[in-house]
Amino acid sequence: MFGLVLVSSVASAEPIKLKLSFFGLENSQIYLSGIKPFVDAVNSEGKELVAIEVYANGALGKVQAQQPQLVLDSVADIAFVVPGVTPYRFPDNALLEQVDLFRDTREGTLAYTRLIAAKALRGYQDFFVIGVYTTDPTFIHSRKPIESLAALKGQKIRANNPTEADALGLLGAIPTVLEAPKLADAISRGAIDGAALSPSGLYLFGVSQVARNHYLLHGGSTPLALVMNRKTFDGLPEAAKALIRKYSGERAAATWIGSFGADEKQQLDKLKSDPERKVVEPSPSDRAAAQAILRSMLDAWASNPPRNR
């Protein structure tokens, strides 16, 4: 089918149309930082060559876990994916999800980008990877007070992926993996007490409205990716492939770092300055205790299987 579209497009001098699936809104910071700059650049420079059409707000599929399969099934040519919700597809992403591994968006995004460039991570062979990103480390946001590490015990806290869930369990919480768009409703209903989210995620997914207690213990960064069907990419004219490559990889990473990284810092400042919120920095002893637990978790991951080291 793609071949017919390609032949038809060449014959009529129409640009090749590519469908991009995004589960979120076009005014979200994720879209503005990780999707829009790429789409605008390609569409502007390749007006008669290729045209990317964005299907936002889940128009092609609302469930985050469905996004990679939408690309593999050619329902979409490109999709924004959250690898942590399909760990069986991207098993090596557990490294990037380790808790307290990166200090900020820049460190995580550059490490992820360069691991992809080196073809060091399994699960990406059927995709052309346009851009990979991470958030700042998560903090814990709850409807219940958290004034110490001990106060986490028994609280039902959402994790973004199984790695983060394991870490929360070791720290005494009762973890559950849940997609971010469902969080505000789950907290307001009392199904969970809180969530691990980066500062931007706290406001992006409405959790700031239902959770006003914030424990600033560094968690894991959240890996994110913009991927394209590899066969579709390989079937494009060389000029179209060169254009997509131009705005992918390190260039996409730099755009994300400059935009989303700045938003993370802005939202953290907003959180700390809000007098209606209880913001707690872990004590030195609590931070040391948590770091010891989380370091043992990373060491265990690195030793089994041997390739993890």
Side-chain angles (χ1 to χ4, degrees):
M1 184 173 181
F2 175 75
L4 290 174
V5 173
L6 179 57
V7 171
S8 174
S9 296
V10 172
S12 63
E14 288 288 326
I16 299 164
K17 293 182 179 180
L18 300 172
K19 294 189 290 185
L20 189 155
S21 174
F22 180 49
F23 53 81
L25 300 174
E26 287 181 298
N27 64 354
S28 70
Q29 194 60 45
I30 288 176
Y31 181 83
L32 296 175
S33 300
I35 300 175
K36 189 176 189 298
F38 169 77
V39 172
D40 287 354
V42 170
N43 285 351
S44 176
E45 192 169 326
K47 287 181 180 178
E48 297 181 359
L49 182 63
V50 62
I52 301 173
E53 299 179 341
V54 177
Y55 292 79
N57 197 26
L60 297 180
K62 289 183 176 294
V63 180
Q64 290 180 2
Q66 292 177 343
Q67 302 306 308
Q69 195 63 45
L70 291 179
V71 174
L72 295 176
D73 291 342
S74 297
V75 175
D77 300 297
I78 304 169
F80 194 86
V81 308
V82 183
V85 300
T86 54
Y88 53 90
R89 290 190 184 275
F90 307 102
D92 291 334
N93 267 55
L95 167 61
L96 297 157
E97 296 162 359
Q98 294 296 316
V99 175
D100 204 22
L101 186 63
F102 302 119
R103 287 178 293 185
D104 55 23
T105 295
R106 178 183 180 276
E107 281 192 352
T109 297
L110 290 179
Y112 195 2
T113 298
R114 291 165 189 176
L115 285 167
I116 288 292
K119 295 181 170 57
L121 303 178
R122 291 173 295 169
Y124 294 88
Q125 65 274 7
D126 293 327
F127 303 101
F128 174 80
V129 180
I130 294 167
V132 289
Y133 322 112
T134 70
T135 65
D136 268 12
T138 61
F139 299 123
I140 299 172
H141 315 281
S142 180
R143 61 192 178 93
K144 295 181 178 180
I146 309 177
E147 297 189 1
S148 68
L149 195 59
L152 271 178
K153 187 174 182 179
Q155 286 212 36
K156 295 175 286 185
I157 304 295
R158 171 266 186 185
N160 185 67
N161 51 64
T163 305
E164 190 169 60
D166 289 345
L168 287 168
L170 290 173
L171 295 174
I174 301 172
T176 183
V177 176
L178 189 64
E179 293 185 3
K182 301 177 181 179
L183 291 179
D185 177 65
I187 294 172
S188 66
R189 290 188 292 103
I192 58 175
D193 297 310
L197 286 167
S198 74
S200 288
L202 171 69
Y203 294 96
L204 178 61
F205 297 108
V207 174
S208 62
Q209 301 172 25
V210 293
R212 295 191 169 272
N213 297 281
H214 313 276
Y215 191 54
L216 304 189
L217 180 71
H218 273 205
S221 300
T222 303
L224 306 164
L226 185 63
V227 300
M228 183 174 181
N229 183 297
R230 168 59 73 175
K231 291 180 180 178
T232 299
F233 177 82
D234 289 344
L236 292 173
E238 287 301 321
K241 288 192 282 189
L243 179 60
I244 289 171
R245 285 195 190 99
K246 178 179 178 179
Y247 293 102
S248 299
E250 293 270 349
R251 193 160 187 168
T255 301
W256 175 267
I257 291 165
S259 179
F260 198 85
D263 188 69
E264 291 279 32
K265 292 176 175 58
Q266 180 181 341
Q267 300 303 341
L268 180 57
D269 289 341
K270 176 181 176 180
L271 173 65
K272 289 181 175 180
S273 64
D274 189 340
E276 296 186 1
R277 300 185 180 278
K278 180 69 173 178
V279 180
V280 176
E281 291 276 2
S283 68
S285 60
D286 275 357
R287 193 178 296 277
Q291 287 175 341
I293 291 170
L294 300 174
R295 175 56 58 178
S296 67
M297 179 179 166
L298 178 58
D299 289 343
W301 178 86
S303 64
N304 184 29
R307 76 179 300 275
N308 286 359
R309 176 64 63 181

